[in-house]
Amino acid sequence: MDDPKTYDGLQAIVFFAGFYEGLLPFPAKYFGWTPLLSLPSRMPAPAWWIVAAAALVTAAVLLVVLDTAKKRRFPDA
């Protein structure tokens, strides 16, 4: 990864996945929505909580790791 934009692109993908798989299922279940890209919204009651929470935590950790790696690789960017 020779460009800081690569890290930015990876962070955008992780943020998008974390939003749709981790954050969106909570209001979707409350309001009765079934978003197309949100797989936990289609799961039964105990499983969707676990999957959505795990996706949210994983996305947050990956965003921190990618940001740290970007700052270490490109300190001036």
Side-chain angles (χ1 to χ4, degrees), residues 22-73:
L23 192 62
L24 189 63
F26 292 103
K29 286 287 189 171
Y30 181 76
F31 292 116
W33 304 332
T34 53
L36 182 65
L37 297 176
S38 180
L39 298 177
S41 297
R42 294 175 172 78
M43 295 178 138
W48 79 266
W49 282 89
I50 297 167
V51 172
L56 196 57
V57 168
T58 303
V61 168
L62 283 175
L63 284 173
V64 169
V65 167
L66 284 171
D67 190 48
T68 304
K70 180 177 137 182
K71 286 181 182 176
R72 185 177 33 220
R73 178 80 166 95

Side-chain angles (χ1 to χ4, degrees), residues 11-26 52 54-60 63:
Q11 287 175 326
I13 291 169
V14 169
F15 181 79
F16 181 75
F19 176 76
Y20 272 96
E21 303 301 327
L23 192 62
L24 189 63
F26 292 103
L56 196 57
V57 168
T58 303
L63 284 173

